[in-house]
Structure formats: C-alpha cells, structure tokens
C-alpha cells in the first residue's frame, strides 16, 4: 500500500499571508503530496494558488469591536474550530501549517484538539498576534528574519530560520546578477506601494525627482505604481520634468520590472522585503506607520544594517531626503553595486525548500500513515458490518 501524504495549510486573508502559503503548497505538490488550503473569502481571491490545491473557507472572527465584537469573534472561531476538526478527520493531514492571520486560528486549534502535528510560519520581523497565541501550542515556529521581536523566550527551541518563500521568477533574478550601470547609462527606478499603491509615494517621489540635476534627469527612467486617484497627477509631473515614466495602478509583471530596476522605492511589507533581498536589489523603504505592531519598520532592520537599503519614517520621507539618496546611489561610483551585493547577502533564496523540509520533518513516518489508513479502513469496515446487522434486525 502506498501512503499518500496530506498537508493542511491555513492562512489569513492578505497577500502577505497567502503568497508564502501558495509557495509552500506548490513545493509540497511538486514533491508528490496532496495539499488543502484554508482561508477566508478574501484570501482565496488572491491570485497565485497552484491549480492542484484544494481550498476551504472556514469561519474565523476578527477579535475587534469591544465586548460585543469579542463575543462574536469567539463564536465564529469556535464554529470554525469545529468545522476544521471535521476537515482534519476527513482529509487526514500529516501536518497542519498556519501562516498567521485570524483565518489560520481555527485550523491550528483543531490540530491541537486532534493531536495533529502543527507549526506556524511568521512572515514579519514581529511575531503576529495569532502566531504569538499559538506559539506555545505548536511543534515549530518558522521565521523569516534572524531577529524576531515579541518572540516568547520559552519557545526559543522551536524557532527555525527559513526565510519568506518567494516566487521562482524572483530567485531567477538573483541568479542573473545586478544589471550594469555605466557612468552615463540609464538609471532605472521602480516605485511600488503594496497591492494598491501608496499616496505618499505619489506625492514625494516625483517631487524628489524634480530636485535632481538635469544631467541625471536625462538618464532617468521610472516605473511607478500609483493609486487610480493619483495617476494623472503623477504622470503630469513626470511629463513636465521630461522624464521617461510609466505609471499604473498595478504592476502585473513585477518580476520583469524588478529584473529591470537598479533601485526600488517601496513600502516594507514582508513579501516585498523578501523579494528585494532575494533578487539583490537595493531599496529606499518607507514603512507603513499604521501597520500592526509597527512590523514594517522591523522588517527592514536587517537589510538596513547590512547596507542593502535605506529606511525613512514616513515623517522623514521628504523630497529633499529622497533626492539626496537618489543622487548618491546614481552618481557615487560603486555605491549602488555595493548596496545590491549587501541586499543579496540578506536574501534567503532557498526559503521555500527549507520550509517544505521543515514541514515534512514533522510528518509521521510513511509506515505510520499506512498503519493509520489500514486502521481507518478496518474501523470503516467494522462500522459497515455493524450497520448491516442493525438493518437485518
């Protein structure tokens, strides 16, 4: 009898949670395993899931809104846990993996109730609320950064550095190396602000570009993501400056644009930071100041310390400061190449493989699966015989 390995992944409804889950699902499927994915309606609408993955939506209330909201959330989580237990019994996963966010909580609670091995993966440099709650209750905690904040000391032995899984297209950029930048060559700037863009980037970056010397403006090419409401103003500013610029509300071909770029200006979401480090692209970060636990500020700490990036608090992200950094990176000999090397040293291109290895290591041996499947078959057969006897009476 051949044992089929099943894995259940559970993730919150944002790209930061879902994309690493998709990457792990793809790797496990490529290894011959079967994968089911649990999230909410919002999460399962995010593109990128492998075609072979099974998807499920379970209730998982968000703990907010005062006492009434807390009660509603508790009831939703309880209902989701009950349904997750049913899913685990039907799907029979070897391991349950949570990627943070409230939609991952019911599945992790159900794993504990059914004594199924479980682990969590934290994408940010600050351990998130759900992962903090479940840290003492899971078998392992995979982290994306060497320095993790709000990590419980008593769980230190469970910590495993894997990094954030990134797309194969991004790993390929790393292997190609940094694009040459001759002294009089075209300087290529990529500006991204998360899934929807960021108004602060639309306001500050064109104003910073306007402060650059004419000789650099003539060498500059820009690709900028901007909100729909900001697009016309951003395009008009670059046109006024005579700068070759392409602006859009969403950059569908991000890996190609990242391959093209010499420098990136961006928010500091976990996926963005991981992809830039893996690709070896220097960056100017402006962390989103209202992120939970201010995690975006901590996400860039390793890169900044290594010399692969600069980071500005939003209050300090001014045209003058950005223009100064742009001139230094474009005009100081060797500056941008050194920053690219430093960024690449922080990248963890084998994150998907290493996370899959960790997950597999907590799966029971295949022989145990055979025994369990055989026992389940016997129980089912016995149940069928008993039912037949009852009908005969």
């Amino acid at each position: 009898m051949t044992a089929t390995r099943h894995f259940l992944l559970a993730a919150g409804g944002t790209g930061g949670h879902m994309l690493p889950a998709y990457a792990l699902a793809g790797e496990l499927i490529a290894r011959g395993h079967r994968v089911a994915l649990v999230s909410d309606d919002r999460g399962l609408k995010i593109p990128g899931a492998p075609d072979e993955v099974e998807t499920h939506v379970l209730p998982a209330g968000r703990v907010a809104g005062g006492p009434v909201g807390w009660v509603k959330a508790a009831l939703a989580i309880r209902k989701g846990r009950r349904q997750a237990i049913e899913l685990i019994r039907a799907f029979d996963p070897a391991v349950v993996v949570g990627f943070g966010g409230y939609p991952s909580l019911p599945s992790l609670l159900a794993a504990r109730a059914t004594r199924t091995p479980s682990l969590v993966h934290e994408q940010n440099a600050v351990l998130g609320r759900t992962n903090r709650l479940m840290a003492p209750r899971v078998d392992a905690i995979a982290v994306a950064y060497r320095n993790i904040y709000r990590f419980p000391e008593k769980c230190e032995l469970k910590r495993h550095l894997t990094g954030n899984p990134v797309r194969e297209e991004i790993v390929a950029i790393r292997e190609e190396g940094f694009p040459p930048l001759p002294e009089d060559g075209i300087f290529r700037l990529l500006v991204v602000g998360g899934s929807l863009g960021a108004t602060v980037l639309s306001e500050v970056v064109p104003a910073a570009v306007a402060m650059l010397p004419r000789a650099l403006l003539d060498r500059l090419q820009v690709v900028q993501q901007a909100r729909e409401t900001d697009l016309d103003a951003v395009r008009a500013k670059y046109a006024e400056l005579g700068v070759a610029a392409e602006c859009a509300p969403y950059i569908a071909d991000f890996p190609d644009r990242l391959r093209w770029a010499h420098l990136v200006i961006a928010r500091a979401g976990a996926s963005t930071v991981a992809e830039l480090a893996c690709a070896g692209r220097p960056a100017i970060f402006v962390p989103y100041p209202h992120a939970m636990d201010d995690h975006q500020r901590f996400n860039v700490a390793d890169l900044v310390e290594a010399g692969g990036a600069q980071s500005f608090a939003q209050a300090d992200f001014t045209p003058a400061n950005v223009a100064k950094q742009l001139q230094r990176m474009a005009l100081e000999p060797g500056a941008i190449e050194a920053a690219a090397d430093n960024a690449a040293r922080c990248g963890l291109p084998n994150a998907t493989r290493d996370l899959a290895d960790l997950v597999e290591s907590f799966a029971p041996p295949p022989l145990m699966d055979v025994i369990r499947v055989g026992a389940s078959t016997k129980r089912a057969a016995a149940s069928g015989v008993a039912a037949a006897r009852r009908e005969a009476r």
Side-chain angles (χ1 to χ4, degrees):
M1 181 183 295
T2 301
T4 301
R5 317 294 284 161
H6 294 181
F7 294 91
L8 179 64
L9 314 186
T14 68
H17 295 126
M18 297 300 296
L19 295 180
Y22 289 164
L24 176 61
E27 176 68 15
L28 291 173
I29 290 169
R31 295 184 183 195
H33 301 308
R34 184 177 165 194
V35 178
L37 177 64
V38 171
S39 187
D40 56 15
D41 289 321
R42 183 179 53 151
L44 295 181
K45 291 178 182 176
I46 295 172
D51 293 337
E52 302 90 341
V53 73
E54 302 175 23
T55 57
H56 302 268
V57 175
L58 296 181
R62 183 176 179 81
V63 183
V68 174
W70 300 339
V71 171
K72 289 182 178 179
L75 292 174
I77 292 170
R78 182 179 179 182
K79 181 179 179 181
R81 174 182 175 274
R82 186 168 61 250
Q83 293 183 11
I85 289 174
E86 294 174 359
L87 175 60
I88 286 174
R89 287 174 176 164
F91 187 65
D92 195 26
V95 181
V96 174
V97 186
F99 285 85
Y102 292 112
S104 71
L105 184 55
S107 297
L108 291 169
L109 292 172
R112 182 172 173 81
T114 57
R115 298 185 179 182
T116 304
S118 63
L119 60 90
V120 295
H121 177 269
E122 178 56 57
Q123 301 85 48
N124 292 298
V126 181
L127 201 64
R129 289 184 179 181
T130 298
N131 285 348
R132 284 203 302 271
L133 174 65
M134 295 306 300
R137 300 168 175 84
V138 297
D139 297 291
I141 304 166
V143 298
Y145 298 90
R146 293 167 180 84
N147 298 307
I148 300 292
Y149 302 88
R150 306 197 70 174
F151 192 97
E153 291 185 11
K154 63 182 179 181
C155 297
E156 192 61 39
L157 293 178
K158 298 181 181 182
R159 185 198 297 225
H160 300 264
L161 176 63
T162 61
N164 266 329
V166 300
R167 293 170 280 184
E168 288 299 321
E169 303 96 312
I170 303 296
V171 177
I173 296 172
R174 177 189 186 88
E175 295 168 353
E176 294 168 11
F178 190 72
L181 180 60
E183 186 175 333
D184 58 349
I186 298 299
F187 181 63
R188 305 194 292 258
L189 176 65
L190 175 63
V191 185
V192 291
S195 59
L196 298 175
T199 293
V200 67
L201 300 183
S202 297
E203 293 173 347
V204 171
V205 176
V209 169
M211 301 175 72
L212 300 177
R214 186 71 247 174
L216 180 53
L217 288 180
D218 290 340
R219 295 172 47 205
L220 184 64
Q221 289 184 0
V222 179
V223 171
Q224 179 157 353
Q225 178 194 17
R227 292 178 182 270
E228 290 277 6
T229 53
D230 300 329
L231 269 177
D232 290 342
V234 174
R235 286 171 175 157
K237 185 64 175 178
Y238 286 129
E240 175 189 330
L241 296 170
V243 170
E246 181 180 337
C247 306
Y250 179 72
I251 299 177
D253 54 346
F254 179 75
D256 289 336
R257 298 301 190 177
L258 187 58
R259 178 181 290 105
W260 166 90
H262 291 112
L263 179 67
V264 181
I265 299 178
R267 285 296 198 192
S271 294
T272 299
V273 174
E275 290 185 336
L276 297 191
C278 185
R281 290 298 183 270
I284 298 173
F285 289 112
V286 50
Y288 180 58
H290 306 297
M292 182 73 70
D293 297 321
D294 197 19
H295 64 255
Q296 288 202 4
R297 178 168 65 91
F298 294 100
N299 285 351
V300 301
D302 288 354
L303 263 176
V304 171
E305 183 179 354
Q310 292 288 324
S311 180
F312 291 101
Q314 188 156 306
D316 299 324
F317 187 69
T318 63
N321 283 336
V322 175
K324 180 179 179 181
Q325 287 299 321
L326 289 174
Q327 288 188 73
R328 186 181 77 82
M329 299 300 281
L331 302 177
E332 185 178 309
I336 199 163
E337 290 83 359
D341 287 342
N342 293 334
R345 280 199 293 272
C346 292
L348 295 170
N350 298 321
T352 305
R353 182 200 68 191
D354 292 346
L355 181 58
D357 288 346
L358 178 65
V359 170
E360 284 185 325
S361 74
F362 284 92
L367 179 59
M368 295 302 298
D369 280 357
V370 173
I371 293 171
R372 187 169 67 249
V373 169
S376 298
T377 302
K378 289 179 180 178
R379 285 195 299 272
S383 176
V385 169
R389 288 175 177 171
R390 284 195 298 271
E391 288 184 11
R393 293 195 191 105

